[in-house]
Amino acid sequence: MRIAIIGSGCSGLTAIKNLLDAGLKEIICFEKSDQIGGNWVYTAAPSHSSVSEATHIISSKALSQFSDFPMPDDYPDYPSHQQILAYFQAYTRHFHLDHYIRFNTAVLRAEKIEKERWCLHLDDGTQAEFDYLLVANGHHSVPRHPDWKECFTGKYLHAHEYKTNQGLEGKRILVVGAGNSGCDCAVEASRVAARVDISLRSPQYIIPKFIMGRPTDTFAATFHWLPQSVQDGLQRISLRLQIGRYHDYALPEPDFSPTRAHPTINSALFDKIRHGKVHPRPGIQKVSGQTVYFADNATAQYDVLIAATGYKISFPFFDRDFLDWEEAAHIPLFLRIFHPDHPSLFFVGLIQPQGCIWPLAEIQARLIGQLLTNKIQLPLNWRKLALSEGRNRAQQFIARPRHSIEVHYYPYLKQLQRMIQGQIK
């Protein structure tokens, strides 16, 4: 049984490790760069990496580590990107995963051939055939740009290209989008810029990194056994006690429950707003030259515009006629892993959890290993479930492109665990 994995980021690494644990040895992971780590390999130059110089994770250390490889005791609650990369490198060394990785080898095309097998066309001019294909190429590499991008004549950056606040000194800056990347960009730019505005098209839950002295996710984890409506109520109460009303910060007040949208985890933005370093703005109506027209009929001129407008789901190695989810409202995969039309194709890490992705990718990979060694079987109606599951998950969240692969962390984790335990028939 020959198995190919595309990508050696966090999902690809845990895929190798868990397939090896299942007794599968014929594994090749193709990595187009010269090292492991995916997005967590920081470079100041534009690249595949989406981390900036100041990036720290937004989930806590305790709930971000792999189950059998804890992060070092001296790591802080929210490790830096340098520490996270070092953690993945240590994980790779400890389990000897690099023996199964072909570095500097890009998969140009993945083609399905007879008997549900796969032929990979590589950038060195060779081809290789496999029985199974695991896709772990991530979903933060192809920026989604706003329609008015070309209308702005100042300096335009997508958050993917934002690496450092150097060069922003004394500039008038508008950050578009208040997700995690947008808030980070606004906070860091405000340290040197003449003025930083942040535009929100719709309300957003911006949540502090600590609640009652504990990391937010570990605090919330103590209530995950409660009904969802009760959890939502407790979260709203804790936010009110912690930060007051969003209106107090000139931010729009959300009119939906906290778990209906992907949260932004950021404490510094509130401080910057109240100190007059970051100024909230409504959504954008149009852009002309360096002038931005907002929904409240106000206008302002900017030197730099940073678009924190998200990413497209991209698989450059698949023909678009074969698979194209760049504009998909929901993804038809059973358990976010299994494609109904291609039973030898698996996706690892193609999720946006309300929590950390790495522990979930670990369980996904473990499940695949159990399946390929015949320790478990998928339900007879798994293809039908893939279609209905995609639609049902989409209905749990506000209809936005960023939510096409969203999952609730603990319900999804329990679903994967039940599958491994053979409780889903």
Side-chain angles (χ1 to χ4, degrees), residues 6 107-111 133 135-137 314-319 347:
I6 299 179
V107 177
L108 299 180
R109 185 182 176 206
E111 177 186 16
L133 175 62
V135 175
N137 68 319
S314 178
F315 308 108
F317 38 81
F318 287 141
D319 289 341
F347 294 85

Side-chain angles (χ1 to χ4, degrees), residues 56-215:
H56 285 244
I57 61 174
I58 58 171
S59 54
S60 68
K61 174 180 75 171
L63 295 182
S64 300
Q65 54 201 2
F66 292 126
S67 64
D68 53 2
F69 196 76
M71 291 189 189
D73 291 339
D74 62 351
Y75 271 27
D77 288 314
Y78 293 98
S80 67
H81 67 81
Q82 296 98 329
Q83 291 169 317
I84 292 299
L85 179 59
Y87 170 71
F88 288 138
Q89 291 169 337
Y91 180 80
T92 300
R93 289 192 301 269
H94 182 78
F95 294 111
H96 309 290
L97 305 181
D98 54 323
H99 298 319
Y100 300 89
I101 303 173
R102 282 182 58 179
F103 293 103
N104 298 308
T105 307
V107 177
L108 299 180
R109 185 182 176 206
E111 177 186 16
K112 189 177 178 182
I113 57 178
E114 68 281 350
K115 298 182 180 179
E116 294 291 338
R117 301 179 74 247
W118 298 88
C119 179
L120 303 190
H121 301 257
L122 309 174
D123 66 348
D124 62 2
T126 64
Q127 300 177 14
E129 294 186 5
F130 296 88
D131 300 293
Y132 295 94
L133 175 62
L134 275 70
V135 175
N137 68 319
H139 48 86
H140 288 126
S141 59
V142 179
R144 183 183 297 276
H145 296 282
D147 295 338
W148 38 257
K149 172 189 173 185
E150 303 301 329
C151 300
F152 184 68
T153 57
K155 182 177 182 180
Y156 172 91
L157 294 172
H158 190 275
H160 183 74
E161 303 168 272
Y162 178 91
K163 301 296 182 179
T164 175
N165 59 20
Q166 293 181 11
L168 301 181
E169 296 86 350
K171 303 294 186 182
R172 297 163 301 171
I173 298 170
L174 175 65
V175 178
V176 182
N180 288 292
S181 296
C183 288
D184 283 348
C185 289
V187 167
E188 291 306 313
S190 73
R191 304 186 193 282
V192 298
R195 180 184 173 100
V196 174
D197 292 354
I198 185 168
S199 170
L200 290 79
R201 184 173 55 182
S202 55
Q204 172 73 39
Y205 276 101
I206 301 173
I207 300 172
K209 282 194 165 184
F210 295 92
I211 295 180
M212 297 181 67
R214 297 172 59 187

Side-chain angles (χ1 to χ4, degrees), residues 258-263 352-356 397 403 406-410:
T259 52
R260 288 271 293 160
H262 192 75
Q352 180 92 330
Q354 297 185 343
C356 185
F397 305 98
H403 293 147
E406 193 82 6
V407 295
H408 292 303
Y409 185 93
Y410 286 103

Side-chain angles (χ1 to χ4, degrees), residues 307-413:
T309 46
Y311 296 84
K312 296 181 179 181
I313 298 172
S314 178
F315 308 108
F317 38 81
F318 287 141
D319 289 341
R320 284 188 177 272
D321 291 341
F322 178 79
L323 197 153
D324 181 8
W325 289 334
E326 283 194 0
E327 304 299 333
H330 58 84
I331 305 301
L333 294 174
F334 177 55
L335 296 179
R336 290 290 200 230
I337 302 171
F338 306 102
H339 196 294
D341 298 327
H342 311 294
S344 59
L345 172 65
F346 311 126
F347 294 85
V348 182
L350 188 60
I351 48 176
Q352 180 92 330
Q354 297 185 343
C356 185
I357 190 174
W358 310 324
L360 295 180
E362 178 183 32
I363 303 298
Q364 287 180 326
R366 188 176 303 161
L367 193 160
I368 294 170
Q370 296 292 298
L371 178 72
L372 294 183
T373 52
N374 297 314
K375 294 182 175 64
I376 60 171
Q377 292 183 339
L378 297 182
L380 294 177
N381 63 337
W382 71 271
R383 290 179 171 86
K384 183 178 179 180
L385 290 173
L387 301 175
S388 61
E389 183 181 290
R391 290 191 296 268
N392 292 340
R393 289 194 191 279
Q395 293 171 0
Q396 297 173 21
F397 305 98
I398 296 172
R400 295 174 185 167
R402 69 188 301 198
H403 293 147
S404 63
I405 54 174
E406 193 82 6
V407 295
H408 292 303
Y409 185 93
Y410 286 103
Y412 180 66
L413 174 62

